[in-house]
Amino acid sequence: MNLQIFSPIGYVSVLLWLAMLALWAAHALRRPRGWWCHLALAAGLLALICAKINSTTYVNRIQVDQSEQIAAEQARRDAARKAAEDARKGEVAQIRFAEDDADDFLDKAGMEEADKKYLENAGKSKQSATEDPAWKREKKTRSGSRTDDSLEGMLNPEGTQKAADSLDNMTETEEAVAPIVMSAEDHYTANRLDSLNLKWIKILLALGALYVVIDYLRRLNIYNEAYFPLPVPSAWPNSFTPMPTMWSRPARPRRSMTEELTWLIRRGDAFLYLTDDQTAAAEMPRKTYRLPAKLEPVDVLHVSPDQPLLDDTFIFEGVWFNRASFVISSATRAAECLNHLLEKLRGREETRARVSQTVHIIWDLATPIPEHLRAELLKLAEATGISVMENRET
């Protein structure tokens, strides 16, 4: 195969989409997940740019080499002319005199009137072909010394001349871009492979974007692999990786507790934070946002004994319908809220109701969840789509 069917930048595009496949394999094998699939998508975009440049500036300039066809046609014409001359040899004079010129080769005296007339017309045609007709000579005379007699030309003759020179330079530049000559077979192969290269890269780009989306959703419910939380419906990531019903925060967490709670808000979820650490509760802002640039604000209500309107029913309904998140910074109040929560969840389990968006109950107290409540809480949380997290950092 002729390696000249692609330019160097065209072969770079091939190497880039091959790198996409290698990056996908590296991403699938690496744990915890990294950014290889995103690099693959970037490589695909660069491959498409290189393929477009190769197609536009190189493959489109390829032309079929017609030198063999031209030579064959010229040989055919020469053979036809030679055959015509051989056929008329009997009609020409075989004796040449010193005073004969080139036109006396044919014996006009022995020719018929039709042949003689044809010969005379052919001579006139030959002479007229070498001379320009009168109308053409007159046109050359008119256009030979053409000057710009417009007002703009008289005011700025240098600018007019520069424009003309610029046009001449552009024409010379266009003529300088010579076509790339190849055989008909190589021309077909180049166009065919160029089309396949562009289509294949576009397919890989679509697969790469789909890969990134699926990878994002698959990792969103994995604590060590999730990144850049977005308020997506909980059903999407749960269809790939179900949110654990009960889990513990690792001894070396990725984020502080305040950042963990903010992370849950940015996921589009609601939380009920139960703690006896007054400092940790005070660090949680009373308003946070689901999207960057402070878009989609969400209230975080701090429950205290001097707020009778924030009763347990209000708290349960608020997190169930994802209207707000709550912080309770009292161990006694947290135990009361947990008992009321179990009572409400029993009724929701009987009707087989589930939350539309995951609700997180964060147990951040010095004492663990009571054993007589743990099993029932796990059962009800799994039935209603609630996730329970214990903080064992302390």
Side-chain angles (χ1 to χ4, degrees), residues 127-140:
Q127 181 180 2
S128 60
T130 57
E131 297 179 359
D132 291 336
W135 66 267
K136 192 171 184 180
R137 291 194 300 271
E138 183 179 356
K139 183 177 179 182
K140 287 183 177 180

Side-chain angles (χ1 to χ4, degrees), residues 230-235 261-272 288-290 296-301 313-326 348 354-360 384-386:
L230 292 173
V232 299
S234 297
L261 299 177
T262 304
W263 180 281
L264 298 178
I265 293 291
R266 293 178 59 189
R267 280 174 48 105
D269 302 340
F271 66 81
L272 174 59
T288 185
Y289 304 90
R290 297 197 190 280
E296 290 197 29
V298 177
D299 292 326
V300 180
L301 304 179
T313 302
F314 181 85
I315 295 173
F316 176 79
E317 297 294 333
V319 295
W320 181 270
F321 294 105
N322 201 7
R323 295 169 181 162
S325 294
F326 298 87
R348 301 298 166 94
R354 292 179 63 88
V355 292
S356 58
Q357 197 73 11
T358 304
V359 174
H360 301 267
T384 56
I386 292 177

Side-chain angles (χ1 to χ4, degrees), residues 297-369:
V298 177
D299 292 326
V300 180
L301 304 179
H302 291 244
V303 180
S304 59
D306 58 347
Q307 294 176 319
L309 295 179
L310 297 180
D311 58 2
D312 295 336
T313 302
F314 181 85
I315 295 173
F316 176 79
E317 297 294 333
V319 295
W320 181 270
F321 294 105
N322 201 7
R323 295 169 181 162
S325 294
F326 298 87
V327 175
I328 298 178
S329 57
S330 169
T332 304
R333 187 74 175 84
E336 294 175 356
C337 185
L338 181 60
N339 289 323
H340 183 81
L341 183 67
L342 291 174
E343 181 182 351
K344 288 289 187 180
L345 289 178
R346 294 187 193 102
R348 301 298 166 94
E349 183 194 21
E350 292 177 358
T351 60
R352 297 184 179 181
R354 292 179 63 88
V355 292
S356 58
Q357 197 73 11
T358 304
V359 174
H360 301 267
I361 300 175
I362 295 93
W363 185 271
D364 188 18
L365 281 78
T367 58
I369 299 174

